[in-house]
């Protein structure tokens, strides 16, 4: 008997976006259908039921046409968004994946997806004692980003002075905790009092400040780092980066991970204090987590015990249903989320 088609609810991009995205820039559709069994002609692909989707800042540049800074393909209006998520394999024509496997990797913002390049999926082996949603954040792409950026790019040493911008987000909250684990002094910036309190009470930052309340970022950094900054984990860009350059110590390191303050601007802000890179012999390096995928087993070996014994924690901001997917993304771009913004499809039928 032929497999019946089922409705496949999707979150689609309505049109290319400029400035801050609005919920109306996206819409939910149930017009698409899909068979929940792969045909014999489907070689090397897997069919998955999406369980959790990650509302990540890097999705914003993909909403505009021909983003000159991104190497990723922009979303196509009328097509579903895609990004990192957690899914369950329903059917597989790939030798490395079986029905019932849990995986994380790039998937569609839809109930069901056919993954044509499953080589880029990570099989989830540890899910009975940690939430599956963690693989959108602390145990997934953001976690590996924090780990590789801090330990591999920055090369931290005990006692160094570390500054993390956007510190209450999925990456920043982990960088700060990693820094504390090895004995660094850590300060984070965030955009609300609640986030600042969270950084100090939940994640163990030595200090934190609300950048929206600081009229002079250079003065704020001098207040928290009178000795200067050894390591800056860059997630914001713009005026913050310019102020940090003035406060770096000799032989400081800057890991450039993201620039969320620039993603909604038509023209990115320039920075003026680049001469500090010369005078202070600062190493400033951009990086992409995909270059560090081979470290994932080592990363899990390091982090899973820390999670289980409570030394590392995370905060998730979970909303349910594709109908709330646009709102979840807008929350991230507006900075209204606290912790990792996750969309759960566990109850979507």
């Amino acid at each position: 008997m032929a497999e019946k088609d089922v409705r496949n609810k999707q979150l689609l991009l309505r049109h290319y976006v400029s400035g801050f995205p609005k919920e109306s820039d996206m819409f939910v559709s149930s017009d698409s259908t899909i068979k929940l069994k792969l045909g014999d002609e489907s070689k090397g692909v897997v069919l998955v039921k999406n369980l959790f989707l990650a509302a990540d800042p890097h999705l914003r540049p993909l909403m505009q046409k021909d983003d000159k800074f991104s190497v990723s393909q922009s979303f196509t209006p009328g097509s579903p968004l895609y990004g990192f998520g957690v899914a369950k394999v329903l059917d597989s024509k790939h030798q490395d994946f079986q029905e019932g496997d849990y995986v994380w990797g790039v998937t569609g913002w839809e109930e069901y997806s056919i993954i044509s390049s499953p080589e880029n999926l990570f099989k989830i082996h540890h899910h009975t004692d940690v939430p599956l949603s963690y693989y959108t954040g602390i145990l997934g792409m953001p976690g590996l980003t924090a780990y590789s950026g801090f330990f591999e790019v920055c090369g931290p040493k005990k006692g160094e002075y570390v500054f993390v911008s956007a510190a209450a987000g999925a990456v920043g909250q982990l960088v700060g905790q990693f820094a504390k684990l090895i004995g660094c002094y850590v300060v984070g910036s965030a955009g609300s009092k609640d986030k600042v309190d969270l950084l100090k009470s939940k994640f163990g930052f030595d200090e934190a400040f609300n950048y929206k309340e600081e009229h002079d970022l250079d003065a704020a950094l001098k207040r928290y780092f009178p000795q200067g900054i050894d390591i800056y984990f860059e997630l914001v860009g713009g005026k913050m980066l310019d102020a940090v350059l003035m406060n770096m110590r000799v032989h400081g390191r800057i890991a450039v991970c993201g620039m969320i303050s620039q993603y909604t601007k038509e023209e990115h802000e320039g920075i003026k204090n680049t001469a500090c890179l010369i005078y202070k012999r600062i190493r400033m390096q951009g990086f992409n987590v995909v270059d560090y995928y081979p470290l994932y087993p080592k990363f899990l070996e390091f982090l899973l015990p820390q999670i289980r014994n409570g030394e590392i924690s995370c905060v998730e901001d979970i909303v349910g249903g594709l109908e709330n997917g646009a709102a979840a993304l807008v929350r991230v771009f507006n900075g209204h989320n606290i912790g990792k913004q996750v969309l759960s499809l566990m109850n979507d039928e």
Side-chain angles (χ1 to χ4, degrees), residues 223-239:
R223 188 166 73 247
Y224 289 102
F225 293 100
Q227 322 85 335
I229 300 167
D230 291 300
I231 291 174
Y232 174 43
F233 202 96
E234 164 67 301
L235 290 157
V236 170
K239 295 180 177 63

Side-chain angles (χ1 to χ4, degrees), residues 155-288:
K157 304 178 186 68
K158 182 178 179 179
E160 289 193 310
Y161 300 95
V162 177
F163 178 51
V164 186
S165 56
V171 175
Q173 61 179 256
L174 289 174
V175 173
Q177 291 180 87
F178 292 161
K180 290 304 299 177
L181 271 181
I182 64 168
C184 294
Y185 172 81
V186 187
V187 176
S189 65
S192 72
K193 181 182 184 302
D194 287 343
K195 292 182 179 181
V196 167
D197 291 344
L198 186 71
L199 292 177
K200 293 190 287 186
S201 64
K202 178 75 172 179
F203 301 131
F205 282 61
D206 294 288
E207 289 290 349
F209 65 90
N210 182 351
Y211 69 90
K212 294 178 181 178
E213 296 179 348
E214 300 291 345
H215 302 295
D216 185 337
L217 291 173
D218 176 55
L221 291 171
K222 283 181 167 57
R223 188 166 73 247
Y224 289 102
F225 293 100
Q227 322 85 335
I229 300 167
D230 291 300
I231 291 174
Y232 174 43
F233 202 96
E234 164 67 301
L235 290 157
V236 170
K239 295 180 177 63
M240 183 65 82
L241 175 58
D242 224 13
V244 167
L245 286 170
M246 294 290 288
N247 287 277
M248 293 296 293
R249 302 180 80 182
V250 172
H251 298 302
R253 289 88 73 204
I254 300 175
V256 184
C257 177
M259 295 199 171
I260 193 170
S261 74
Q262 306 301 298
Y263 293 159
T264 57
K265 296 182 183 296
E266 292 295 316
E267 291 293 329
H268 288 199
E269 294 174 322
I271 56 174
K272 300 176 293 183
N273 296 322
T274 51
C276 295
L277 296 169
I278 304 168
Y279 304 144
K280 298 183 180 183
R281 284 86 81 195
I282 299 166
R283 177 166 58 83
M284 181 171 169
Q285 179 181 337
F287 73 101
N288 191 316

Side-chain angles (χ1 to χ4, degrees), residues 55-67:
D56 289 322
H58 75 262
L59 299 184
R60 170 58 188 87
L62 303 182
M63 294 180 177
Q64 61 197 52
K65 188 175 183 180
D66 301 326
D67 175 40

Side-chain angles (χ1 to χ4, degrees), residues 93-108:
K93 297 295 183 180
H94 191 285
Q95 61 182 7
D96 293 338
F97 299 94
Q98 307 296 324
E99 179 182 348
D101 285 345
Y102 290 101
V103 296
W104 74 266
V106 175
T107 188

